Amino acid sequence: MRRDNMKKKPLTGLKVLELGQLIAGPSAGRLFAEFGAEVIKVENPANGDPIRKWRVVENGTSLWWYVQARNKKSITLDLKQEEGQDIIKKLALEVDIVIENFRPGTLEKWGIGYEQLKEINPGLIMVRISGYGQDGPYRDKAGFGSIGEAMGGLRHLTGYPDRPPTRVGISIGDSISALYAVIGALMAVYHRDLQGTGQGQMVDVALYESVFSFMESMLPEYDRAGVIRERTGSILPGITPSNTYECKDGKYIVIGANGDGIFRRLMEAIGRPEFASDPRFQNNATRSEFASLLDSTIEQWTQALNLAEALKILDEAKVPAGSIYSIEDIVADPHYNAREMIEEVLVDGIGKLKVPGIVPKLSETPGSIDWAGPKLGQHNEEVLVNTLKLGQEEINSLIEKGIIGR
């Protein structure tokens, strides 16, 4: 047992019902579970969450599943059947938060929307993640994280100006939305419990809005100066120097020296002290006018050195610099391991499996990985019998009708 497991987690006692599937909703549920909340994940009895079969599959289950569903309890329910909906209503009395990421109106059609569950439990907090939000003209459109990234402005900025827009290599829109979902839910818990109102509320998270909120100064610059940001490859316009440079051995180094003092240290380190004192380069605004000149000067230096040599010089000069890690580099890195970001869990039928560690690090009430993603319906009996006090006859009837899995 890791030493962190001995400490009480900050969300111990909080109960969460997760009705979502795939990425955004379950990612939010994962964060709650890592920090001590009891997260009951509801899955379709036939196949469960589709992510169980996504990407690399071993022994019939996706390796991603063991990360995405860790510390959660899995129960199976057919939400399209009335008796499955009745169980959700009973669980709504037992939990603090419901997370869902169906298309707006789906839960209402099943009789378990926010207004319907609020009547049962006025203190209930429902987190709703969707492509476009719970209202507005696009409310009913199908939405995915990739579409949110496009509509939110991120895809327009990602890539090189002479090539089509590209994507970040992960589902970043879903992940950002999951963070907002957790933040919003905890704000609602604070309002209900710490401010003593006893009142629940709905947290409405739209994928496109989550992405748009990360677009920095794009909107006011357009509003006041008519600037339409475009794709710029590996640079950030107006932030100089900050780029990726090739080294002698064909590897690449990322250098961020846009701070005035850091820039001067960089110029000294690469043997160009005259640039450090040049009036053209004394602040970021004026440096940005000469970004091409500075980038070519820096790359002349990096191309004369191997990556390790360049990193050593810049580290000694206290200039932010780093190599571009593959997953192989990450697993071998001593800092990742010292910070417990590479952990191992035991998985039935597989053995030890490396998984990402917990973020963020809390000094007194840290999160931990208690178990990998559960088998489909693994906690049916625990939740239905222990929490809802259903009798064996009732459970057998639910199994026979296909409302819960066997």
Side-chain angles (χ1 to χ4, degrees), residues 212-223:
F212 179 61
S213 74
F214 273 52
M215 291 298 100
E216 300 178 346
S217 58
M218 194 165 69
L219 177 58
E221 288 173 359
Y222 171 72
D223 182 50

Side-chain angles (χ1 to χ4, degrees), residues 156-168:
H156 186 75
L157 299 182
T158 307
Y160 287 84
D162 59 340
R163 301 177 196 176
T166 187
R167 70 173 300 157
V168 178

